[in-house]
């Protein structure tokens, strides 16, 4: 079972929000947020909203699930249609299982918005935070695969060594 520090989730979410809410979307994170928002815009227009024009947790989960499936071909545990809100006491733990991270992020956002629903900005920030966590985890796993094969990521490798590194990566991915 793999886990992630809740502080990491909160930090990524805060960075996404800061970039989103500042209005100044310069730099790599700002560009990433613009790309995510553009990819989600049509779905946001189509999904049902609350009387305040905001999204329910189910609708936000649907948007994020569709974004990751369409953009990356990813199916992420915790974003299934039937996923129910978990106990918010998870926020008080120091780590959380990776497959519960989407729910934690959603709970943090929903609590922050006082139960009134989530805006497109909120959903974009949530997707960006999840995407960055996934990329970071992937990079860590790749670095471990290199180390397992007694290589450095900066090292030039031939096709056979690269194949061995990728085999190690896939084993690490499957085994966790």
């Amino acid at each position: 079972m793999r886990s992630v520090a809740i502080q990491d989730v909160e930090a990524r979410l805060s960075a996404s929000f800061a970039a989103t809410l500042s209005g100044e979307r310069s730099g790599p994170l700002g560009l990433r947020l613009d790309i995510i928002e553009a990819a989600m815009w049509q779905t946001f227009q189509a999904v049902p909203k609350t009387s305040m024009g905001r999204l329910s947790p189910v609708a936000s989960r649907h948007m994020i699930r569709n974004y990751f499936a369409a953009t990356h071909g990813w199916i992420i545990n915790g974003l299934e249609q039937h996923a129910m809100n978990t106990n918010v006491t998870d926020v008080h733990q120091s780590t959380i299982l990776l497959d519960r991270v989407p729910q934690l992020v959603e709970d943090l956002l929903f609590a922050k918005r006082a139960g009134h629903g989530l805006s497109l900005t909120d959903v974009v920030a949530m997707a960006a935070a999840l995407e960055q966590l996934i990329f970071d985890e992937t990079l860590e796993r790749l670095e471990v695969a290199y180390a397992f094969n007694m290589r450095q990521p900066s090292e030039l490798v031939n096709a056979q060594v690269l194949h061995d590194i990728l085999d190690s990566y896939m084993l690490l991915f499957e085994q966790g």
Side-chain angles (χ1 to χ4, degrees), residues 23-40:
E24 184 182 321
R25 287 192 178 180
S26 60
L29 180 56
L31 178 61
R32 190 75 215 134
L33 292 168
D34 288 341
I35 291 168
I36 294 169
E37 185 173 316
M40 290 183 165

Side-chain angles (χ1 to χ4, degrees), residues 112-128:
K112 188 174 197 162
R113 299 298 181 228
H116 295 297
L118 303 175
S119 68
L120 177 59
T121 300
D122 297 333
V123 176
V124 168
M126 182 177 168

Side-chain angles (χ1 to χ4, degrees), residues 135-146:
F135 287 152
D136 289 349
E137 181 192 9
T138 300
L139 185 58
E140 286 175 20
R141 193 175 288 131
L142 187 57
E143 288 171 349
V144 169
Y146 268 88

Side-chain angles (χ1 to χ4, degrees), residues 64-173:
I64 293 171
R65 184 180 60 251
N66 285 353
Y67 166 75
F68 284 127
T71 306
H72 301 294
W74 297 344
I75 297 173
I76 299 177
N77 293 338
L79 290 176
E80 301 86 1
Q81 281 182 301
H82 62 277
M84 299 300 286
N85 279 352
T86 56
N87 213 341
V88 180
T89 57
D90 288 339
V91 173
H92 303 292
Q93 298 173 2
S94 63
T95 62
I96 188 167
L97 296 177
L98 284 174
D99 64 351
R100 305 225 17 233
V101 167
Q103 187 62 54
L104 172 67
V105 171
E106 184 178 76
D107 289 345
L108 288 169
L109 281 172
F110 208 67
K112 188 174 197 162
R113 299 298 181 228
H116 295 297
L118 303 175
S119 68
L120 177 59
T121 300
D122 297 333
V123 176
V124 168
M126 182 177 168
L130 290 171
E131 190 174 61
Q132 190 60 52
L133 284 166
I134 292 166
F135 287 152
D136 289 349
E137 181 192 9
T138 300
L139 185 58
E140 286 175 20
R141 193 175 288 131
L142 187 57
E143 288 171 349
V144 169
Y146 268 88
F148 184 75
N149 287 277
M150 295 176 284
R151 302 292 179 169
Q152 295 295 318
S154 59
E155 189 178 335
L156 187 61
V157 295
N158 63 32
Q160 181 57 49
V161 173
L162 180 60
H163 187 269
D164 293 343
I165 292 168
L166 291 175
D167 278 346
S168 298
Y169 174 86
M170 291 308 294
L171 286 171
L172 290 167
F173 181 81

